[in-house]
Structures are given as structure tokens and as C-alpha cells.
Amino acid sequence: MEPDRGIYFDHVAAAPLLPEVVDAMIPFLKEDFGNPSSMHALGERCEEAIEQARLQTARLIHAGDPGEIVFTSCGTEANNFALKGIPLAYRDRGSHIIVSPVEHFSIMHAIRTLEKTGFQVTQLSVDRFGCVDPEEVERSITPQTVLVSIMHGNNEVGTLQPIAEIGKITREKGVLLHTDAVATVGNIPVDVEALRVDLMSLTANSFHGPKGAAALYVRKGVRVQPLLDGGIQEKGRRAGTENVPAIVGMGVAAEAAMGEMENRTRHIRALRDRLQEGLLERVPQVYALGHPTERLPNILSIAVEFVEGESMLLFLDMEGIRIASGSACISRSLKVSHVMLAMGIDAALAQGSLLFSLGKDNRVEEVDRVVEALPPIVQRLRDMSPLYRKAKQAGKT
């Protein structure tokens, strides 16, 4: 019996596989099981499949050369590859790195490691929408700067960064630019040439591909120090036997995203707007987070006053509604989101955040069910909150 996944609004953590992705992967789980490095027919079939997926992935982000795609195991590895591989490869030029304070933990933790080994890191500021000022990027660049890393779209609040404008600055300054585009690639049009990026992280499970397949785009001519020592896979840039089924699935998912993106985006944005309008209308003292217009079409992040996000999440889960209370990488830590704190959101309000991320298979009826289910949950939890009762008595509700 197939398990009931309920109403699934957590696509930023993982999207369900497309049927054609599963169909493409199965032969490489069964009869085409060879090692791509083997010099016989079984190995050659796997190698050819990987190169086809490399071409499909390159087309999705408008990379000029499929060889600029380096497959990795996940977005975290791709981010670490860029954040550590570039400074190590260009250490003769300098030891200064610039990042934003709203990056994924795979960036934030990587720079801590780099700082311990002698690199200097500048963390920029963001405005109340979580957006970086390109002028601050320009002011922060020094003769020692070797890398700027600013995410393309935030996975918690959906805000899109002005990467093309930042890319113009870094190109003029001769500094390399990396962007974490895990949340954007496959969900909105992405063009590495238009954005002027030198490196870009992306992952298959963000656009209905399998977990275990991701990539780092490395612009032709850019050197990067490998993180893994071993064989000569990925042209010597990433050692280790390739996850052939997952890479094949990533290629097929990339091709599907290219063909369906316009229709997907139109459908998902309409659902997101309906959800936001319904929740803000029916739940008092709830706030939409992130930029009002420059944001991903599939993400709605809200903060509810006087209630903890985890409590709402658990009650919704009992109703068969699957959402998140922030990044999947920190949801079990029960910590306040560093993204929201950087945006200047009060820690108590940030604790009451919910993250809805919609997908192409979601329906209007599901949105309406969430709008119906959340208000009584919020009221029930507020009635148990001494902070809410105190605010109510003071006339602040």
C-alpha cells in the first residue's frame, strides 16, 4: 500500500520524482550497472549516459560548455567545493573572501573552517527583505579578495539577490563570483552568462530529480582545488565512482524543467499568492517575510506572533499537511534562523516562522485546506501562551 504523503508543501527540501526520471534511472539500477571508468561496453554505456546528463544540465543553466558541469553528491558538497576549492587554488592572489549573512549553512560553516586556516572573511549586511546591496559588495572588495559568494535565491524567505549587478562588479574587479542557486535552478530561468557568475551550485532534488545528484558549474578557465583525492573522474576535479542512476535522473529532470518552466511558474505563483492572501486575511498578526516582488514564485515564508513554528508544524502534520519551519538543515535543531536574525526580525517572532514551498502538482483545493486548517491551530496555541494573554490584556493583539 502506497503511503499517504498528504498535502505536501515542502518542495524546497525535496521534490517528488517525475515518472520519466524514475523510468530513466531504472536501467542503471539493473542491467546497466557498470562503472563509467571501466573500458568495456557496460562501462561505456554508463559513461555515455553521464555525458548526456552533463549536456542536459548545462543547457538548463545556459552553460556554454558541458565540461563546465562537475557532478557532486549534493548542494552542500557543491558549495564546499566552491568555497574551499577556489581560495586554495588562488591563495597566491590573496586570502580574502566575501559572503552574505543569509547563506546556507554549507557556506557559513565552510567559511569558519577557512578562517581557522588563515583566510579573512567579510560578512555583508542585508536589508529587512534579506537583500544584499551591490554597492557594499564593491566597497568590501580589496586587492586580497579572491572570491565573493552570494546566494541567488534564499531557501528560507525566497528573496532573490541582484546577482547580475554583483557579477558586473566582480568581473570588473577581477574577482571570482560563486552563487548558491540550489533554490532557483529549475524553478526560475537561470543563465550563468547573463548573471556573470564564475561558479554556481545546483541540485537535482530541487527540480523533481533524485537526491544524491548535484553539480557545481565552473566557468571555463577557472581553477578549483579538488576536495577529494583519488581517481580522475570529472576530469580530475572530483574523485570517486559516479552515482550513475542519480546523475541520469538529474539530466532528465533538467530537460523537463526547461520544457515546463513557464507553465510551472505561472501555476505555482498563483497558488502561492492565493495562500498568502488567505493566511494574511484569516490569521491576525501574521507577517509575510522576504522581498514582496523579487522572490521565488514557489516560496511563502510567514511569521506568526505569540506562537512557535514547531508547534504549528506538528499540528499541521497531524492534519496531513507537510511543511517546514525553516531550512531543512536546521529544522531539528530548534534554533532561531540566522537568516531572519540577519534581516532584523525579532528572535521571538522568528521562532514563529513557517515555510511553505509549493510544487507543480499542488492544487487550489490543497491551498484552501491549509487556509482553513491553520487559523484554529494558531488560536489554540495562542490561548495556551502566557505571552499572548499578557499582550491581550495590554490591548496589543
Side-chain angles (χ1 to χ4, degrees):
M1 184 176 178
E2 188 174 323
D4 178 19
R5 73 183 186 193
I7 297 175
Y8 188 75
F9 282 178
D10 194 19
H11 289 79
V12 76
L17 293 181
L18 297 172
E20 59 264 39
V21 169
V22 176
D23 291 343
M25 292 172 64
I26 287 175
F28 296 93
L29 292 167
K30 297 169 71 175
E31 59 267 21
D32 290 329
F33 57 83
N35 188 315
S37 298
S38 297
M39 296 181 66
H40 51 61
L42 278 178
E44 288 172 1
R45 283 206 292 271
C46 290
E47 184 183 14
E48 289 169 3
I50 287 176
E51 294 312 310
Q52 174 64 16
R54 200 184 309 279
L55 176 61
Q56 292 166 316
T57 304
R59 286 174 178 166
L60 178 61
I61 61 172
H62 297 275
D65 183 350
E68 295 173 315
I69 300 297
V70 182
F71 287 118
T72 66
S73 64
C74 58
T76 289
E77 184 191 340
N79 281 341
N80 272 262
F81 192 9
L83 261 289
K84 296 173 182 176
I86 292 297
L88 291 174
Y90 289 88
R91 195 158 196 171
D92 58 328
R93 290 192 187 179
S95 58
H96 180 233
I97 303 161
I98 298 171
V99 299
S100 88
V102 295
E103 300 296 312
H104 188 266
F105 271 140
S106 55
I107 299 288
M108 305 305 285
H109 290 173
I111 62 172
R112 291 180 192 172
T113 299
L114 289 167
E115 285 179 311
K116 292 175 183 177
T117 59
F119 286 92
Q120 289 79 48
V121 178
T122 295
Q123 281 198 42
L124 306 167
S125 61
V126 292
D127 62 19
R128 64 193 180 98
F129 303 124
C131 198
V132 166
D133 181 358
E135 291 184 2
E136 186 183 0
V137 176
E138 187 167 18
R139 289 194 302 270
S140 300
I141 293 174
T142 75
Q144 289 290 307
T145 306
V146 293
L147 180 67
V148 175
S149 182
I150 309 291
M151 72 189 334
H152 189 203
N154 189 269
N155 56 302
E156 289 189 42
V157 297
T159 295
L160 295 169
Q161 300 290 354
I163 297 299
E165 194 174 344
I166 294 170
K168 184 174 184 294
I169 293 167
T170 54
R171 284 283 169 92
E172 290 172 351
K173 297 283 187 178
V175 175
L176 295 175
L177 174 62
H178 165 256
T179 190
D180 172 0
V182 164
T184 57
V185 171
N187 291 303
I188 61 173
V190 173
D191 185 327
V192 291
E193 292 300 327
L195 293 175
R196 298 186 180 92
V197 296
D198 302 289
L199 304 105
M200 174 184 284
S201 302
L202 57 146
T203 185
N205 63 277
S206 290
F207 49 91
H208 298 280
K211 293 178 283 291
L216 179 67
Y217 160 79
V218 183
R219 186 169 61 85
K220 196 170 184 178
V222 172
R223 305 194 314 271
V224 59
Q225 180 74 30
L227 294 184
L228 302 177
D229 295 319
I232 59 169
Q233 292 89 349
E234 297 300 295
K235 297 183 179 178
R237 296 174 294 186
R238 200 270 187 184
T241 303
E242 300 92 340
N243 185 351
V244 181
I247 290 172
V248 168
M250 181 174 185
V252 174
E255 193 165 300
M258 277 188 290
E260 300 176 4
M261 192 173 298
E262 186 176 347
N263 290 334
R264 283 187 194 180
T265 302
R266 187 186 307 112
H267 170 70
I268 292 170
R269 181 180 284 115
L271 293 180
R272 192 273 315 273
D273 291 346
R274 184 184 182 99
L275 179 62
Q276 176 174 320
E277 183 180 339
L279 292 178
L280 267 59
E281 182 180 295
R282 296 195 56 183
V283 183
Q285 290 175 280
V286 60
Y287 311 97
L289 307 178
H291 199 282
T293 57
E294 296 301 311
R295 59 171 170 161
L296 284 161
N298 59 324
I299 286 182
L300 172 63
S301 178
I302 63 170
V304 183
E305 228 171 340
F306 307 114
V307 184
E308 289 188 352
E310 289 76 18
S311 300
M312 291 184 286
L313 186 152
L314 293 173
F315 274 106
L316 287 168
D317 191 46
M318 287 189 283
E319 296 282 340
I321 299 168
R322 325 300 183 195
I323 62 167
S325 59
S327 168
C329 296
I330 63 166
S331 60
R332 293 182 182 272
S333 68
L334 303 182
K335 293 181 179 179
V336 177
S337 164
H338 69 286
V339 171
M340 296 181 191
L341 292 180
M343 292 164 60
I345 297 171
D346 180 77
L349 182 59
Q351 286 278 21
S353 66
L354 290 176
L355 172 60
F356 301 88
S357 50
L358 289 72
K360 73 183 193 67
D361 295 327
N362 287 131
R363 307 183 307 277
V364 169
E365 308 88 81
E366 294 177 317
V367 168
D368 292 346
R369 172 68 187 121
V370 173
V371 172
E372 176 188 346
L374 186 58
I377 290 173
V378 170
Q379 192 57 54
R380 179 180 178 183
L381 291 169
R382 281 177 172 169
D383 288 343
M384 294 187 288
S385 167
L387 290 176
Y388 179 71
R389 288 198 296 270
K390 186 176 179 180
K392 194 173 181 181
Q393 289 168 358
K396 295 180 179 179
T397 61

